[in-house]
Amino acid sequence: RMGSTKRKKENLQEEGRLAIVSRNSETEYVKVVVPKSDSVQKLIHDSIAANILFKACSAEELVEVFAPSEASAGSTIIRQGDEGGAFYVLETGTIDVYEEEQHKATLYSGTSFGEIALLYGCPRSATLRTRYFCKLWSISRTAFRAITSQFKRRRMEVKVDFLKKVKIKDKFLSDVLSESEMNTLALATLNESYEAGRSIVREGEPGDIFYMIDSGSVDVYIKAKGDAPVATLGSGAFFGELALLSNDCRTASCVAKTDVKCHILMRDDFNLLLGDLQSLMDGAAYGEREEVSLQPKKAVKMSMQVDLADLDIMKVLGIGAFGRVRLAKLKKPRSDLEDHNGFFALKCISKQSLKDNGLDSHIMNEKAIMSGLEHPFINRFYCDMEDDEFLYFLLEAGAAAGRHSGEHAGGCLW
């Protein structure tokens, strides 16, 4: 029996060690396209179109991976308190919503539910039970995160490639800016759409926006050359680049020939991020600036090391997807914390949840970032601890944390 107990403990320790092995589920994900009729594609598309969670990605890419399921009358689709992992669209049937067995709502064809589960694996806040036979379509949190992440990465690469081709006077932006500066600039670009026939820029007006055409066609007009367009620009072309340099008047008018989607960059945003472009073109090469910017900053040293046995672990301050944050207090005063009130926030993170969701590397990155930060507006990171089941981060507690005793409980929408 003792040998069995020892093996069980060793297994738990091994699971704990596995939970901090770095891996990235987003890059491991392989997209599987599920065939569906045009009417079902429209149903899903219409259900997610107005949901802000789906704005970060192409709706078509997400609709492709929704998978079908069926449920007979009286089946439980979601149980209150269970961890959520998918978002659903109801194609046919009727579903009743219960909170603590009290009927709260009824869902019909075309309704969607469970979107918070795409962000966090927190407990479901209601039970959903079928009244009649139902057919549903769902997308998992893993698929949603991977597809949106991959989409953003591709869009970022497209924007950087656009910017590298931009030539202002006799220099390309890639000659003036470093790779990291190009990435920063790409993050600052916005997306705008223009209907066919709409004027995008007008000749003679001051300009402060640079345009890169993602899709569609744009006609270019110059008054002195008549009413016919002097050029037509397509996907991959750009115009208005001199607006990054100054607010001189536009030398031509640009009108959307078809529906057009553009990436735009405003001069104010450029100046805020990187400074005046003319100064950059006239000044130090990016290699010299990069060398200065990459000088290592002084590391913030750990000011203390604490064991769990040194702490009185008290009330719950908050509940998250993978654990809780609790108020903690040192059992005995310490000389290295003379100006401290003795209270801390102890973030308790389930190793098993991290392992199940493929977030091991994320939490280690969080630790690395937090341990290197020192700012009055950011809760200070003191040290980390662990046992067989949890990772613990000891953090600075808010001033009010030691004075109030109310507990916070959180949950998810269906």
Side-chain angles (χ1 to χ4, degrees), residues 132-389:
Y132 309 113
F133 171 84
C134 292
K135 186 169 183 179
L136 305 102
W137 294 84
S138 64
I139 182 172
S140 68
R141 180 167 63 249
T142 300
F144 174 80
R145 284 181 171 176
I147 291 171
T148 54
S149 176
Q150 292 166 5
F151 179 81
K152 289 176 182 177
R153 192 178 301 114
R154 290 197 305 272
R155 301 304 292 169
M156 182 72 168
E157 291 170 355
V158 168
K159 291 177 181 180
V160 170
D161 287 343
F162 259 123
L163 292 169
K164 286 180 178 178
K165 299 174 186 174
V166 176
K167 189 174 184 179
I168 300 179
K169 295 187 175 179
D170 60 342
K171 291 184 178 181
F172 289 98
L173 280 183
S174 55
D175 296 331
V176 178
L177 304 178
S178 69
E179 191 72 27
S180 62
E181 288 171 332
M182 295 290 284
N183 289 334
T184 299
L185 211 54
L187 286 171
T189 61
L190 303 173
N191 298 320
E192 287 288 346
S193 297
Y194 304 92
E195 294 179 352
R198 179 178 170 185
S199 293
I200 302 174
V201 300
R202 290 183 173 87
E203 184 177 351
E205 294 185 350
D208 62 353
I209 301 176
F210 164 54
Y211 300 84
M212 298 169 281
I213 303 174
D214 183 36
S215 64
S217 300
V218 174
D219 283 333
V220 181
Y221 297 86
I222 297 177
K223 291 179 181 177
K225 295 187 177 182
D227 296 332
V230 296
T232 298
L233 307 177
S235 177
F238 52 84
F239 56 95
E241 61 272 20
L242 291 179
L244 298 179
L245 207 56
S246 68
N247 63 346
D248 289 347
C249 294
R250 303 287 193 183
T251 58
S253 295
C254 294
V255 178
K257 181 177 182 179
T258 64
D259 289 346
V260 175
K261 292 182 179 179
C262 289
H263 306 300
I264 68 169
L265 181 63
M266 304 184 72
R267 185 174 65 253
D268 287 347
D269 290 338
F270 185 102
N271 292 343
L272 184 64
L273 290 168
L274 301 176
D276 179 65
L277 178 57
Q278 186 64 61
S279 298
L280 292 175
M281 294 175 70
D282 295 339
Y286 74 75
E288 299 172 26
R289 298 198 308 277
E290 191 78 356
E291 184 178 347
V292 172
S293 66
L294 291 178
Q295 292 299 316
K297 297 181 180 179
K298 185 178 179 181
V300 179
K301 295 182 179 179
M302 291 282 189
S303 60
M304 61 186 295
Q305 184 59 47
V306 176
D307 294 324
L308 285 173
D310 300 329
L311 298 170
D312 280 326
I313 300 175
M314 306 162 69
K315 66 178 184 177
V316 175
L317 297 176
I319 300 175
F322 307 112
R324 301 185 175 200
V325 178
R326 305 187 74 104
L327 183 66
K329 190 177 189 302
L330 285 171
K331 292 178 179 178
K332 297 179 181 179
R334 292 176 53 141
S335 58
D336 56 346
L337 289 173
E338 293 180 357
D339 298 329
H340 195 279
N341 63 10
F343 288 97
F344 300 90
L346 185 67
K347 186 173 182 177
C348 315
I349 309 151
S350 166
K351 289 181 176 180
Q352 191 61 48
S353 293
L354 292 177
K355 180 181 176 182
D356 291 344
N357 290 276
L359 296 175
D360 322 290
S361 60
H362 293 254
I363 202 67
M364 301 314 291
N365 288 337
E366 179 182 336
K367 172 191 168 183
I369 292 170
M370 293 180 67
S371 62
L373 295 175
E374 186 173 25
H375 193 280
F377 295 160
I378 300 174
N379 288 41
R380 189 173 183 179
F381 176 95
Y382 289 103
C383 64
D384 65 302
M385 300 162 274
E386 65 176 296
D387 58 22
D388 290 341
E389 296 185 51

Side-chain angles (χ1 to χ4, degrees), residues 30-47:
V30 177
K31 181 178 177 181
V32 178
V33 176
V34 180
K36 45 185 71 72
S37 66
D38 291 344
S39 60
V40 169
Q41 291 184 50
K42 184 177 186 304
L43 173 77
I44 298 173
H45 188 280
D46 291 346
S47 295

Side-chain angles (χ1 to χ4, degrees), residues 85-127:
F87 166 78
Y88 297 87
V89 174
L90 178 60
E91 180 184 353
T92 59
T94 303
I95 294 177
D96 291 310
V97 180
Y98 298 88
E99 292 180 11
E100 303 296 343
E101 294 305 316
Q102 291 187 357
H103 187 267
K104 294 293 183 180
T106 302
L107 309 180
Y108 301 99
S109 177
T111 306
S112 60
F113 54 91
E115 60 266 35
I116 302 301
L118 298 178
L119 298 179
Y120 310 105
C122 52
R124 298 289 196 180
S125 61
T127 294

Side-chain angles (χ1 to χ4, degrees), residues 22-31 142 146 150 358 360:
S22 176
R23 72 171 191 258
N24 192 330
S25 60
E26 292 173 359
T27 56
E28 294 173 358
Y29 172 79
V30 177
K31 181 178 177 181
T142 300
Q150 292 166 5
D360 322 290

